[in-house]
Structures are given as structure tokens and as C-alpha cells.
């Protein structure tokens, strides 16, 4: 996983100081890989322990591994890309591997607790995302959680405008840019309603609005003007998250 991808995956753990360090590392990769942790800390007016903690937040063993990873990235970027025939980066196995790397138990715990604390959970998606919203509703109802899904924009707007309970809205949208979904998300944001999003792993408008972001690796793919985007990664995240939620509720009984 690239450094900037780790930053996106673990951004919910980061504070303002972490963001400043990351900004410097992204802009000065070549200089950073030749600096000691003491030199980098002094340059950024912080202490080595802060950089060590940041490294571990991003999933590295420490600053040395972070530097080595940055060095490898620079070397790969300078070498011509070689694509082995028959192993495209958008095939099923690659998407599954990348999705498994994105699974984050700490984030799933946070999202599960949000669901537990909500008096009502609403799911919303459009088009091909609707069956997955229905699936999540069924998975949550197993634990007695009050959950519903909506397929029509006007129904969802009506529900949000008349909510009386402490609610949570869970959006499923691979692109994270579907206009109807963003409209509902903006409405939730204006009303202070908590949101969880499940999207493809990229920077998108929906993940910027949501409180917690779950990711799969499922880039858009078209064939003969048909959308054949792989939904298997989405299924994996839904299943893993559902099992995590089931286990948490069983443990709390």
C-alpha cells in the first residue's frame, strides 16, 4: 500500500500535528528518506516520539519502516512500469487482495458502536447499490437493530426531515459521486445526523461528508457501454462488517 493510501485508510486516527508531518513527507520524499528521526523532528519543531506514533498509526513498525517504504515507492516510480500479461490490476483476484488490505478492525469497531448507539439506522443507495442496502438491513435485523433501506429520493428526504429518534444513515455508493446520494448526505450533514459511507477506495465527495468511511477496492469498469464494475469486493466488506457487528452484539449480551 502506497504512503498516500495509508494516509487515507487511517486518516480517522490523525491529528493536526500528524497532518503537518504527512504534508511535509508527501512534498519532500527524497529529502525525508535521508533524514534521521531526530533531524526530521527538529525540522518540523516536534519530537521524535510524535513521528514514531504517527508511523505506527499508519501501520508501520516505526519510522525506519516508513522511510524504507517511501524509498521503495520512489524507486518504483522511477522505473518503467512492467505489466505482466494476464495479470491486469483490475481483475477479480487483485480487487479482492486490495480489499482485504483495506479492512480495518479499529474502524469497524467504531462503525459498529455507532450502529449500536443509534435508535434507528437508515440505508440509502441507488441503482446497483440497492440490493446491498437490503442485504445490510437483513444482516442488522438479526441482532434486533431497527434498520430500513430506501430506494426513492423523496422518501428518504421525507424520513430525514421527520426523524425524531437518534438516527444514523449508512450510504453505499462505489463512486461516492452519485448526485442523489450526495444530496441526501448534504441534508444529513445540515441536520447533524451521523453518517457511514461504503465506497471504492478513492478520494470522493461522499467520504468527505461522512463521519466514518469504509472502503473496498472496486474501480469502475465498462464493457460495450455496460457497467461491469466488480461487486465482489463490496460483498466482502459487507460480510466482514456484518460478522464484526454480530460478534460485538453477541459479546455484549
Amino acid at each position: 500500500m502506497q504512503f498516500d493510501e495509508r494516509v487515507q485508510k487511517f486518516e480517522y486516527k490523525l491529528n493536526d500535528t500528524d497532518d503537518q508531518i504527512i504534508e511535509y513527507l508527501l512534498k519532500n520524499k527524497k529529502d525525508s528518506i535521508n533524514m534521521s528521526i531526530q533531524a526530521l523532528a527538529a525540522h518540523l519543531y516536534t519530537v521524535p516520539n510524535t513521528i514514531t506514533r504517527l508511523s505506527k498509526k499508519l501501520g508501520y513498525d516505526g519510522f525506519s519502516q516508513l522511510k524504507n517504504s517511501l524509498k521503495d515507492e520512489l524507486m518504483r516510480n522511477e522505473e518503467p512500469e512492467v505489466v505482466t500479461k494476464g495479470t491486469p490490476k483490475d481483475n477479480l483476484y487483485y480487487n479482492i487482495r486490495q480489499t482485504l488490505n483495506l479492512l480495518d478492525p479499529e474502524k469497524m469497531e467504531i462503525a459498529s458502536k455507532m450502529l449500536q448507539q443509534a435508535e434507528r439506522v437508515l440505508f440509502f443507495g441507488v441503482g446497483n447499490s440497492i440490493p446491498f442496502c437490503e442485504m445490510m438491513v437483513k444482516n442488522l435485523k438479526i441482532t434486533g437493530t431497527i434498520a430500513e433501506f430506501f430506494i426513492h429520493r423523496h422518501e428518504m428526504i421525507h424520513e430525514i426531515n421527520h426523524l425524531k429518534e437518534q438516527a444514523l444513515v449508512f450510504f453505499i455508493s462505489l463512486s461516492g459521486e452519485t448526485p442523489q446520494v450526495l444530496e441526501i448526505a448534504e441534508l444529513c450533514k445540515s441536520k447533524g445526523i451521523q453518517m457511514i459511507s461504503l465506497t471504492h477506495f478513492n478520494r470522493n465527495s461522499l467520504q468527505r461528508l461522512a463521519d466514518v468511511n469504509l472502503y473496498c477496492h472496486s474501480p469502475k469498469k465498462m464493457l460495450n457501454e455496460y457497467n461491469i464494475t466488480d461487486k465482489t469486493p463490496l460483498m466482502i466488506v459487507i460480510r466482514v462488517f456484518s460478522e464484526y457487528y454480530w460478534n460485538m452484539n453477541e459479546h455484549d449480551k
Side-chain angles (χ1 to χ4, degrees):
M1 185 173 289
Q2 297 263 61
F3 179 74
D4 60 336
E5 292 175 331
R6 286 177 181 263
V7 171
Q8 181 176 352
K9 177 180 177 180
F10 296 112
E11 62 185 350
Y12 68 98
K13 297 182 178 181
L14 307 177
N15 55 40
D16 290 341
T17 301
D18 295 332
D19 290 339
Q20 292 172 7
I21 298 171
I22 288 168
E23 183 179 6
Y24 179 84
L25 292 174
L26 287 171
K27 291 181 178 179
N28 302 277
K29 288 183 180 181
K30 290 186 177 179
D31 293 335
S32 300
I33 61 176
N34 295 313
M35 298 174 72
S36 67
I37 191 170
Q38 292 82 7
L40 179 61
H43 183 78
L44 296 173
Y45 302 101
T46 187
V47 295
N49 283 346
T50 300
I51 298 175
T52 299
R53 284 194 296 270
L54 169 61
S55 301
K56 292 182 177 180
K57 286 180 183 179
L58 296 176
Y60 299 105
D61 294 335
F63 182 62
S64 295
Q65 188 184 22
L66 187 156
K67 283 203 306 181
N68 289 334
S69 179
L70 284 177
K71 184 177 180 180
D72 290 342
E73 284 183 29
L74 288 171
M75 291 177 63
R76 286 196 300 270
N77 291 338
E78 290 174 357
E79 294 174 353
E81 184 177 5
V82 178
V83 179
T84 304
K85 187 176 180 180
T87 58
K89 281 192 173 183
D90 63 350
N91 67 19
L92 173 64
Y93 302 106
Y94 180 81
N95 291 341
I96 290 175
R97 280 199 311 273
Q98 293 298 99
T99 296
L100 293 176
N101 287 334
L102 290 170
L103 297 176
D104 183 352
E106 290 185 46
K107 187 180 287 186
M108 289 194 173
E109 181 176 2
I110 293 171
S112 294
K113 287 182 178 178
M114 289 170 63
L115 288 178
Q116 278 188 327
Q117 293 167 3
E119 297 174 0
R120 190 176 175 198
V121 181
L122 309 180
F123 284 83
F124 186 68
V126 300
N128 292 330
S129 297
I130 293 173
F132 298 99
C133 292
E134 183 178 10
M135 188 180 304
M136 279 298 300
V137 167
K138 290 180 179 179
N139 288 350
L140 294 188
K141 284 186 175 180
I142 294 172
T143 66
T145 301
I146 300 175
E148 306 161 79
F149 76 98
F150 296 87
I151 61 176
H152 297 298
R153 164 188 168 276
H154 64 278
E155 289 181 344
M156 190 66 176
I157 291 175
H158 179 272
E159 290 296 324
I160 291 172
N161 283 329
H162 293 83
L163 279 174
K164 295 180 181 178
E165 310 93 337
Q166 180 182 341
L168 179 145
V169 179
F170 195 123
F171 294 97
I172 299 178
S173 170
L174 284 178
S175 71
E177 300 294 346
T178 307
Q180 299 96 313
V181 171
L182 294 179
E183 178 187 16
I184 304 300
E186 291 280 6
L187 178 60
C188 291
K189 194 76 172 180
S190 70
K191 292 183 174 294
I193 299 172
Q194 287 191 313
M195 293 178 281
I196 297 174
S197 71
L198 173 51
T199 69
H200 167 58
F201 185 60
N202 65 349
R203 295 289 182 182
N204 59 73
S205 300
L206 180 58
Q207 58 96 199
R208 294 187 183 97
L209 291 168
D211 299 285
V212 172
N213 310 115
L214 302 179
Y215 297 111
C216 64
H217 183 85
S218 186
K220 185 175 181 179
K221 187 173 183 179
M222 303 294 293
L223 179 63
N224 296 331
E225 299 182 3
Y226 280 89
N227 186 338
I228 59 167
T229 302
D230 185 9
K231 303 300 191 304
T232 308
L234 184 56
M235 281 287 299
I236 290 173
V237 176
I238 285 175
R239 180 65 187 187
V240 173
F241 179 65
S242 296
E243 289 190 0
Y244 197 96
Y245 187 70
W246 293 335
N247 292 335
M248 174 178 283
N249 279 271
E250 188 66 27
H251 181 269
D252 290 344
K253 286 182 178 180

